[in-house]
Amino acid sequence: MFKINDNYLKLPGSYLFSTIAKKVNVYKTEHPDRQVISLGIGDVTQPLAPAIIDRLHTAVDEMADARTFKGYAPDLGYEFLRTAIVEQDYKARGVDIAADEIFISDGAKSDSANIQEIFSADNRIAVCDPVYPVYVDSNVMAGRTGIYDPETGLWSDVIYMPCQAENGFAPEFPQEEPDLIYLCFPNNPTGAMINRAQLQEWVDYANRIGAVIIYDAAYEAYISETDVPHTIYECEGARTCAIELRSFSKNAGFTGTRLGFTVIPKDLKSSEGVALHSLWARRHGTKFNGAPYIVQAAGAAVYTEEGRKQTEEQIAYYMKNAGIIKEALAELGYTVSGGVNAPYIWLKTPKEMTSWEFFDYLLENANVVGTPGSGFGPSGEGYFRLTAFGSYENTLTAVERIRNI
């Protein structure tokens, strides 16, 4: 009789956003006359920019012509896209990253879940708390997290770095030394950011103890402050300790189109001298057949002058929503943060409500959906996340409903 990977049986409950979807569907069924506005999931609502759409159309036409038809994509991704990334995301910032150190994928979520495969199962991971659930869940599946305590919501073999109001929702060096350190800035879910000097301290720390930083920069396009790094490779020494994950989902609206990339410098090696670049290249070539040509062509359009202008306008649209939400909640007496370098508003639940109690309260009384902070980890309890990815009109309506509770 077949056997299953019992690490999957260790996963507690259901995935956070699946639980939210089920609760919202039940509510809509019971109250069909009420319009529910979602400020919960971090999904974009604006259509793809015209420059991207135009390139998608021409790429489809190319696939209809035998002379320009494309089959499997190269393992690393098409050179035209990787070159554009190098020139505009890295060289333009004075950062030394080569095109063959970039691996094109179908998104940062997949890469953040899969990257742990190239590391030994006995590596200790350190995560911010609250944390994007994929980081922990994918390590649970790999058998790297130990035993789950339902009372505390903690895994015995995970090193948690509490990110609370007292430390500006930024992590501090853990007492135990980890092997893998997950950092996400601008942060999901708190919207927090650290400056260049703070990130340099993490790079120095990782190099000193021989750890690898897995740096999720999916929201870098939303950075507005000047002393904030757009890539970890702006820090000296990052090439020997850091892997960077990037996404087209939030900066260019590719949530339904799917495109991202991972950067692994060739200088990043294990204590035995094994290059992680070659390991990921083998994994990537074995398990992934490449993002579609038409999608990569559309991704390259993001880096054109017209594409950049149009996507920057969309980012400004979402950040205007963030400002509206944050200002309104502050006026109502909520304790709020985020919404400056990230499209997420992180608020303290009122009247000592738990995160899920506030979720139900907001859904029932304002017909507005957000995300309970406890779903991101124990330190998220008592907090709530709202996103700025809704339409401008829905954002205004949601804020007005919350005012009238």
Side-chain angles (χ1 to χ4, degrees):
M1 185 65 180
F2 68 86
K3 295 183 179 180
I4 62 172
N5 180 348
D6 60 7
N7 289 320
Y8 280 72
L9 301 180
K10 298 177 183 177
L11 291 165
S14 59
Y15 186 57
L16 171 63
F17 295 104
S18 299
T19 302
I20 291 173
K22 290 176 183 177
K23 289 176 74 74
V24 172
N25 287 337
V26 169
Y27 183 83
K28 287 181 176 179
T29 300
E30 294 175 350
H31 305 88
D33 58 323
R34 300 182 185 178
Q35 180 206 14
V36 174
I37 295 176
S38 177
L39 300 182
I41 190 170
D43 195 0
V44 297
T45 53
Q46 293 296 291
L48 292 171
I52 297 171
I53 291 294
D54 289 344
R55 185 65 185 100
L56 275 171
H57 282 301
T58 59
V60 169
D61 290 340
E62 291 172 36
M63 298 296 277
D65 188 327
R67 295 168 297 178
T68 52
F69 174 80
K70 301 292 191 298
Y72 290 126
D75 282 354
L76 294 179
Y78 286 98
E79 186 174 356
F80 63 76
L81 177 56
R82 290 184 288 112
T83 299
I85 290 169
V86 166
E87 293 296 326
Q88 299 195 42
D89 285 336
Y90 295 103
K91 281 190 177 180
R93 300 190 183 282
V95 173
D96 179 24
I97 293 294
D100 63 356
E101 293 176 320
I102 294 171
F103 296 82
I104 305 299
S105 71
D106 61 353
K109 179 178 182 178
S110 296
D111 285 352
S112 67
N114 294 329
I115 194 67
Q116 51 81 17
E117 290 184 20
I118 65 175
F119 298 100
S120 170
D122 59 2
N123 280 321
R124 293 290 303 277
I125 69 166
V127 298
C128 296
D129 175 27
V131 61
Y132 180 47
V134 172
Y135 306 155
V136 175
D137 285 3
S138 60
N139 279 280
V140 173
M141 296 171 185
R144 195 177 282 122
T145 51
I147 300 171
Y148 181 71
D149 184 345
E151 292 188 5
T152 63
L154 301 174
W155 291 90
S156 62
D157 291 344
V158 174
I159 300 170
Y160 290 90
M161 302 181 291
C163 298
Q164 300 170 324
E166 294 75 18
N167 60 4
F169 300 104
E172 299 173 356
F173 298 147
Q175 293 183 347
E176 301 176 78
E177 290 188 356
D179 302 299
L180 309 177
I181 304 168
Y182 285 82
L183 296 179
C184 174
F185 291 107
N187 186 259
N188 177 18
T190 67
M193 191 64 214
I194 59 177
N195 62 32
R196 184 173 285 101
Q198 290 172 305
L199 186 56
Q200 182 66 60
E201 290 178 358
W202 277 100
V203 169
D204 295 342
Y205 171 77
N207 276 318
R208 184 169 66 250
I209 67 173
V212 173
I213 296 174
I214 300 174
Y215 192 74
D216 188 343
Y219 298 92
E220 70 79 27
Y222 290 82
I223 294 172
S224 61
E225 296 179 315
T226 56
D227 190 29
V228 172
H230 286 255
T231 167
I232 194 169
Y233 301 115
E234 292 180 42
C235 297
E236 184 178 354
R239 284 185 57 88
T240 57
C241 72
I243 293 171
E244 184 164 280
L245 311 175
R246 290 286 193 103
S247 170
F248 284 76
S249 287
K250 305 307 189 322
N251 69 326
F254 277 51
T255 53
T257 313
R258 309 307 307 143
L259 190 66
F261 62 91
T262 290
V263 181
I264 304 186
K266 294 176 183 177
D267 299 344
L268 180 53
K269 299 178 181 179
S270 71
S271 57
E272 297 82 12
V274 178
L276 271 60
H277 180 277
S278 60
L279 297 183
W280 185 246
R282 179 59 188 270
R283 190 267 172 205
H284 204 63
T286 300
K287 292 190 174 185
F288 184 61
N289 262 342
Y293 168 73
I294 60 174
V295 176
Q296 293 196 48
V302 175
Y303 292 96
T304 64
E305 182 177 352
E306 191 176 32
R308 274 204 175 277
K309 178 183 177 182
Q310 292 168 357
T311 54
E312 286 172 0
E313 289 172 352
Q314 291 186 339
I315 290 167
Y317 176 96
Y318 293 130
M319 291 309 293
K320 181 178 181 180
N321 287 348
I324 290 170
I325 297 169
K326 186 174 184 178
E327 182 179 351
L329 291 175
E331 289 176 356
L332 291 170
Y334 287 89
T335 301
V336 293
S337 58
V340 177
N341 295 300
Y344 294 121
I345 309 300
W346 189 243
L347 64 109
K348 190 168 182 57
T349 57
K351 303 175 183 177
E352 298 185 352
M353 289 184 184
T354 67
S355 298
W356 280 105
E357 286 173 346
F358 188 66
F359 174 90
D360 293 333
Y361 173 79
L362 208 61
L363 179 59
E364 178 65 36
N365 293 281
N367 304 151
V368 172
V369 176
T371 308
S374 60
F376 297 102
S379 291
E381 182 55 89
Y383 287 90
F384 203 75
R385 191 192 77 174
L386 294 174
T387 84
F389 286 121
S391 69
Y392 175 72
E393 293 75 17
N394 278 350
T395 298
L396 291 178
T397 301
V399 164
E400 190 60 27
R401 289 181 184 179
I402 295 172
R403 287 185 191 277
N404 294 329
I405 293 179

